[in-house]
Amino acid sequence: MHTIKRLALAAALLLPLAACGGDGGDSGADKDKAGAAKGAEGAPKTGAQAAGQAGAANFAPADTATRKVKDALARHDSAQADSIARADSIAADSIKKAGGPPARRFNAGEDPAFARASGWPVNGPRPLPGAILPDKRIVCYYGNPSSRRMGALGEYPRNEMLSRLQREVQRWTAADPQHPAVPCLHMVSVVAQGDPGPSGHYRNQLRDAVVDSIYQMAQSINGLFIVDVQVGTDDIRNIMPRFENILKNPDVHFAVDPEFYMRGGIVPGRKIGTMHAADINYVSEQLARIVRENRLPPKVLVIHRFTRNMVTNTEDIILRPEVQIVIDMDGWGAPWLKRDSYRDYVVRHPVQFTGFKLFYHNDTKKGDPLMSPADLLRLEPKPLYIQYQ
């Protein structure tokens, strides 16, 4: 993406959130933890919980074994992928010579042969019982309830926002019935900001009561809830444990935004941050532990990306049967630019599953159309996580 434009957007989003009960140096977090953990223990099991406790599937140990991305890609038959790509090319030439319809010209990110040659589909662990992906597609509204500028989640009144989301879910299910869409609220629960604040880490944690209120909103539409973290100058290892109670719920998942994972004390918004494979492995290890200890279905972990350096050493990311990792193409701009970014920063660097973010305002402010489900379903691999901001 255009870095200057993206940083300008980031600067606009770095808003103090004291009005909604920001932490003031993390004060108030402990006293609200009980609210954020509602439904985790002592309550009747939900359908999702029951699915997570259905017992082990009949998989061989190798099917669900932990493996690094580079090992999963080594199992990908590149020779076969190259053979298929050559066969596709030969078939296209034959059709052309025979006077048949011209071969389709693929836009960036749409060529299935390129995807196969890059390593898709990734030979990761097989999905455990109760897994959302790849059978379903997650469709989210992203944002913060106290900011109209951070995304659709906070831009509209509650009922209007939920109605808009449900319409998007219906559009996606109609466009691809084989992957029915599941509604989701994706809330930025730790927000990067331009001043150090009482914590000194250039980030503001929302009170658990606020987080829990959006979780309950997601439950009201039988949807998923994703806790999103912008680390600032802190470390994810200091922040993630605070959300363990709410993550014990089967319908709560996790996301980290590397754009705001700052190194060396650099203030958020002055440059784009970086998340290493080791950081992602820490998060997935903790999610896997929560899944095992609470007998839950697999967790989804969303990692945003729109530049090469936002995520380093992707080949060293560990794939675990308890966690489903989505690399979400997070940049805004014209459709051609978004497809380029999807190809360059997601397709070229396989991890496990892919996502795609759409910006109602920033994608269209220069007169470009918002990409439709039909547009995104031409991509290869097809994104199974869709986020509207």
Side-chain angles (χ1 to χ4, degrees):
M1 282 293 134
H2 297 305
T3 302
I4 295 176
K5 293 181 181 178
R6 182 63 182 179
L7 291 178
L9 175 63
L13 297 181
L14 298 176
L15 301 175
L17 295 176
C20 71
D23 59 11
D26 300 346
S27 62
D30 290 337
K31 68 180 180 181
D32 285 335
K33 279 185 179 177
K38 286 179 183 177
E41 297 178 2
K45 298 279 191 301
T46 65
Q49 286 173 313
Q53 298 183 9
N58 293 321
F59 294 154
D63 291 336
T64 55
T66 295
R67 67 197 67 165
K68 286 188 176 182
V69 167
K70 60 185 174 184
D71 296 324
L73 294 180
R75 300 184 186 190
H76 176 80
D77 192 339
S78 58
Q80 182 184 29
D82 291 342
S83 175
I84 294 173
R86 287 194 298 271
D88 289 346
S89 177
I90 293 170
D93 288 343
S94 297
I95 293 173
K96 184 177 180 180
K97 290 176 181 177
R104 176 187 165 192
R105 293 186 62 184
F106 294 105
N107 293 312
E110 296 180 353
D111 189 343
F114 179 84
R116 286 193 295 269
S118 297
W120 297 95
V122 175
N123 193 348
R126 290 180 61 183
L128 295 177
I132 300 169
L133 308 175
D135 291 339
K136 297 181 180 179
R137 177 174 282 108
I138 301 171
V139 176
C140 277
Y141 262 14
Y142 169 99
N144 181 285
S146 297
S147 172
R148 296 187 64 183
R149 288 187 289 173
M150 286 186 71
L153 175 58
E155 182 176 357
Y156 307 105
R158 178 187 189 277
N159 290 339
E160 181 183 354
M161 182 271 291
L162 294 178
S163 295
R164 285 173 174 266
L165 172 59
Q166 293 284 41
R167 287 197 291 272
E168 297 290 7
V169 169
Q170 292 167 5
R171 288 178 67 213
W172 274 98
T173 297
D176 184 11
Q178 293 185 339
H179 297 87
V182 179
C184 167
L185 296 181
H186 186 128
M187 176 184 172
V188 185
S189 304
V190 179
V191 186
Q193 58 186 23
D195 62 81
S199 72
H201 288 299
Y202 295 88
R203 54 102 180 112
N204 184 65
Q205 299 190 75
L206 299 193
R207 292 185 183 273
D208 290 333
V210 178
V211 177
D212 191 63
S213 69
I214 305 303
Y215 171 42
Q216 292 180 34
M217 195 182 298
Q219 287 184 308
S220 73
I221 58 171
N222 294 318
L224 306 175
F225 179 60
I226 295 181
V227 175
D228 191 294
V229 171
Q230 297 176 354
V231 172
T233 60
D234 206 342
D235 190 305
I236 191 62
R237 295 157 185 81
N238 298 328
I239 297 175
M240 187 178 179
R242 180 199 159 194
F243 296 101
E244 177 151 347
N245 280 343
I246 196 168
L247 285 166
K248 292 178 181 177
N249 292 281
D251 48 0
V252 178
H253 305 272
F254 201 69
V256 186
D257 193 344
E259 179 182 359
F260 301 106
Y261 203 129
M262 313 312 298
R263 308 280 173 174
I266 295 173
V267 176
R270 294 186 181 175
K271 67 176 293 186
I272 295 172
T274 298
M275 192 172 187
H276 302 314
D279 305 316
I280 295 172
N281 290 340
Y282 164 80
V283 174
S284 70
E285 180 182 23
Q286 297 308 307
L287 291 174
R289 176 184 57 78
I290 292 170
V291 166
R292 291 192 301 269
E293 291 178 356
N294 297 277
R295 303 181 66 192
L296 301 174
K299 294 290 185 186
V300 174
L301 170 58
V302 178
I303 304 294
H304 305 297
R305 186 177 197 181
F306 61 89
T307 71
R308 184 181 303 277
N309 291 332
M310 278 178 69
V311 183
T312 64
N313 306 107
T314 54
E315 67 276 8
D316 290 326
I317 292 173
I318 296 174
L319 303 179
R320 310 175 194 275
E322 304 92 347
V323 181
Q324 302 192 293
I325 300 178
V326 173
I327 303 299
D328 176 43
M329 202 298 292
D330 187 23
W332 57 265
W336 69 265
L337 188 56
K338 295 174 77 74
R339 286 192 293 263
D340 277 357
S341 294
Y342 185 76
R343 176 197 61 201
D344 291 343
Y345 309 126
V346 179
V347 181
R348 285 185 188 273
H349 303 278
V351 175
Q352 190 172 22
F353 299 102
T354 71
F356 203 99
K357 180 184 278 192
L358 297 167
F359 294 78
Y360 282 124
H361 303 300
N362 285 320
D363 282 354
T364 60
K365 65 182 181 180
K366 291 188 176 181
D368 296 297
L370 187 71
M371 296 180 76
S372 68
D375 294 328
L376 298 190
L377 289 173
R378 296 189 184 99
L379 297 171
E380 291 291 344
K382 294 173 174 53
L384 291 174
Y385 173 86
I386 306 297
Q387 185 183 97
Y388 289 91
Q389 180 167 332

